[in-house]
Amino acid sequence: MNPSDWHDTGCRPPQRLPGSVEAALEYLAHALGHLLYLRWTLTALKRGCPSLADAKREHPAVFALLLEHDTAIEYWERGRLRVVPEAAAPSATTVLERVLRQHRRRFRQAATDAAADSARGSTVITPDAALLPAGVGATWVARAGRFANPVALTNTLGVADDTQAVRLFLRERASHSPHTLRAYVTELRRLAAWCTRERLGPFSDLTRRDLIAYRDALQAPGTDDAGKVRRASPASVSRALAAVSSMFAWWHRTGYLTVNPAEGLAAGRRARMTWTPVRFLPATALAHCDAVAAGDAPTDVPSTVWARRRAIWTLYRFAGVRLAELVWYEERALPRIEVDEGRQWTLHVTGKGNKLRAVPLPSSCLPSLRAYRRVRGLPDDPPNGEQLPLIHSERGRTLGASGLYDEVRAVFALAAARLPPQESAMRAALERASTHWLRHGYARTLVVDHRVPLPVAQALLGHASVQTTAAYARTDLTQLRGFVEGSFPDND
């Protein structure tokens, strides 16, 4: 292979990799923050350490191999460093190809950029993604309805059909967050499918009566494949209507529509001030889960997988992050850990609205995180500038949201299985619990148990409104009663 055919798109402007394999590996090691390929001899080991005793202490695996072999190779594979005799090691070119393939979103081959974009489009949603579900023709949305504004002077979007208008809406309102974009595309596809069944459309042709009928259809009960009657939750209906209303309102403001048929469509939704979190695990259940996670690995779980599971549990349990906030975001090298002079850790994540947030981690959770790093062949504390995913899959790549969720659910399942038979209520709660229950528990610990000031708790949780943070105080009447009793003491 020719490394100079590849570009690093993680810097601006994109930079071409060096032409030789050795120089390219050195560049990637610097860019990614960890060693990729190093050839060890006893002479090289002595050169880097003051004495053999120091060499044995700092590089024990390398030292042991060099006692029996002339040369050892230390290389990066599947998220960790490995050391083997030279005869058993892959070539430097093979390691380079693996790393480039693993980080293919950042390092792109110039000749295949277009093909990579096409292949990646099947799994990554972009503002230009196809909006239509199966069975809906492309010409259905590539039209302008009766409410589309044909006057170029007032139509500031400068487009003539719904396809282009939808793309501009998604770029303007949803491209800042892949999660928001995915939600908007899902809801617009659902509306397109309903319009096709009702022989309506395109979007710019829908009347207020049409959209009210759509709202009624969302709320109506239906049957699933098993024949069971299902009804959408109020929250899911609210999200669907909010996405549709947002698009029509934006189209009207920008002049693409002459009227807004969705005005007031989402009215009557539950006000944010009345939102109250209800999915909590009792303190005894959380303590039981913590004890299970801190214990030995089950016999059917490899030690490396158990170390990773403990680390994932620790981050969700003691950082209060959302599920997607621990998914690796290569373009920003987030989430990442920053270590201060006192060896205290701070977790940096990207929250809703693409907002950065720093969450100090308590000292009690650091042993499990450091143990996981040691299993991966990394130093206990992340060095400055390290750009590695916090969590790796067994194949050396990163875990997505579903993989992270499954690991937390595995801890809940193991904790439920280790409960005595009489604890049926706690077992049922653990079987329903998810990562967001841990976030609720983290928030309740701050607001209710330790009475952390609401602005501080809001910053730690990444809430857009302090009213959301204050809602946790309403989950405990004991605290509210204490405030009232202290304000109006008994004078008798």
Side-chain angles (χ1 to χ4, degrees):
M1 67 172 298
N2 184 3
S4 62
D5 289 340
W6 293 76
H7 292 79
D8 180 4
T9 63
C11 55
R12 294 292 180 271
Q15 183 171 332
R16 188 184 297 272
L17 266 59
S20 70
V21 172
E22 293 74 15
L25 284 169
E26 184 178 353
Y27 176 91
L28 291 176
H30 177 75
L32 299 176
H34 61 82
L35 175 69
L36 291 180
Y37 190 92
L38 187 59
R39 186 175 183 272
W40 287 101
T41 62
L42 198 57
T43 302
L45 188 61
K46 291 178 180 178
R47 189 184 306 119
C49 300
S51 66
L52 284 179
D54 292 326
K56 182 178 181 180
R57 184 176 57 256
E58 295 183 19
H59 305 282
V62 175
F63 185 86
L65 274 177
L66 290 178
L67 293 178
E68 301 180 3
H69 303 274
D70 293 335
T71 309
I73 301 296
E74 189 173 15
Y75 66 99
W76 185 263
E77 183 182 46
R78 296 185 178 182
R80 58 181 298 187
L81 284 171
R82 301 177 183 272
V83 182
V84 298
E86 185 176 27
S91 67
T93 302
T94 300
V95 174
L96 176 62
E97 290 175 344
R98 288 175 181 174
V99 172
L100 290 173
R101 186 164 58 249
Q102 179 183 347
H103 296 275
R104 57 188 176 276
R105 289 191 179 181
R106 174 173 177 177
F107 301 102
R108 307 284 296 278
Q109 195 169 8
T112 59
D113 275 355
D117 286 338
S118 176
R120 215 170 46 175
S122 60
T123 56
V124 178
I125 296 178
T126 68
D128 290 323
L131 292 172
L132 301 180
V136 180
T139 57
W140 181 89
V141 73
R143 296 179 293 161
R146 74 188 86 174
F147 301 121
N149 183 8
V151 182
L153 184 63
T154 55
N155 183 351
T156 62
L157 291 187
V159 297
D161 61 60
D162 286 8
T163 298
Q164 302 173 67
V166 167
R167 287 173 176 168
L168 291 177
F169 164 71
L170 292 175
R171 288 179 183 176
E172 174 73 20
R173 301 301 303 273
S175 60
H176 63 282
S177 166
H179 313 296
T180 303
L181 179 58
R182 187 178 296 108
Y184 273 46
V185 169
T186 298
E187 297 307 333
L188 294 182
R189 283 175 174 166
R190 188 191 313 199
L191 176 58
W194 178 84
C195 289
T196 304
R197 289 194 301 270
E198 300 297 321
R199 299 182 181 278
L200 298 172
F203 294 145
S204 58
D205 198 65
L206 299 180
T207 65
R208 179 170 180 79
R209 178 178 297 180
D210 295 333
L211 292 175
I212 290 175
Y214 175 64
R215 181 180 65 186
D216 295 341
L218 291 175
Q219 297 171 338
T223 56
D224 58 15
D225 296 336
K228 294 184 179 180
V229 177
R230 302 287 187 184
R231 185 187 295 270
S233 67
S236 63
V237 173
S238 177
R239 285 193 297 269
L241 297 178
V244 173
S245 298
S246 177
M247 182 183 71
F248 280 99
W250 189 79
W251 278 359
H252 185 229
R253 286 197 305 272
T254 56
Y256 177 68
L257 292 182
T258 57
V259 297
N260 179 10
E263 180 68 34
L265 181 68
R269 292 182 294 158
R270 185 170 46 178
R272 193 170 185 84
M273 284 188 63
T274 63
W275 175 81
T276 302
V278 294
R279 297 176 179 177
F280 289 102
L281 285 172
T284 52
L286 286 173
H288 174 61
C289 291
D290 289 337
V292 169
D296 295 333
T299 56
D300 60 337
V301 179
S303 59
T304 54
V305 175
W306 182 248
R308 182 186 66 185
R309 188 169 297 169
R310 290 181 60 193
I312 294 172
W313 170 267
T314 297
L315 289 169
Y316 283 112
R317 173 77 170 88
F318 297 105
V321 292
R322 302 176 179 90
L323 173 62
E325 289 175 350
L326 287 189
V327 177
W328 175 244
Y329 187 10
E330 186 169 359
E331 289 76 7
R332 291 194 173 189
L334 290 171
R336 63 178 174 84
I337 297 293
E338 185 178 88
V339 183
D340 62 19
E341 296 179 354
R343 296 192 68 194
Q344 297 298 308
W345 288 25
T346 301
L347 174 65
H348 295 263
V349 298
T350 302
K352 284 187 175 180
N354 222 18
K355 296 179 180 178
L356 300 179
R357 185 166 88 256
V359 183
L361 297 178
S363 300
S364 58
C365 76
L366 299 187
S368 63
L369 299 177
R370 286 173 173 150
Y372 172 58
R373 288 181 59 84
R374 287 195 294 271
V375 166
R376 289 173 55 191
L378 300 172
D380 283 5
D381 294 328
N384 292 334
E386 182 179 86
Q387 296 187 10
L388 286 177
L390 292 186
I391 307 297
H392 278 76
S393 69
E394 294 178 50
R395 295 183 177 181
R397 299 178 182 176
T398 63
L399 277 186
S402 60
L404 293 167
Y405 181 85
D406 290 343
E407 291 296 291
V408 175
R409 288 289 301 135
V411 175
F412 284 133
L414 182 60
R418 292 184 177 179
L419 286 172
Q422 62 269 24
E423 294 287 355
S424 57
M426 186 183 297
R427 182 179 296 103
L430 291 176
E431 290 173 350
R432 296 194 309 271
S434 68
T435 56
H436 216 70
W437 289 41
L438 297 180
R439 176 171 165 83
H440 286 325
Y442 177 86
R444 197 171 191 271
T445 298
L446 295 177
V447 176
V448 176
D449 298 343
H450 296 283
R451 302 187 182 186
V452 172
L454 289 181
V456 176
Q458 178 191 6
L460 291 172
L461 291 161
H463 287 152
S465 170
V466 75
Q467 294 176 356
T468 304
T469 314
Y472 289 93
R474 294 196 294 273
T475 64
D476 183 67
L477 290 178
T478 303
Q479 187 188 73
L480 298 180
R481 186 177 299 279
F483 290 151
V484 173
E485 292 291 349
S487 301
F488 303 96
D490 187 358
N491 296 323
D492 293 339

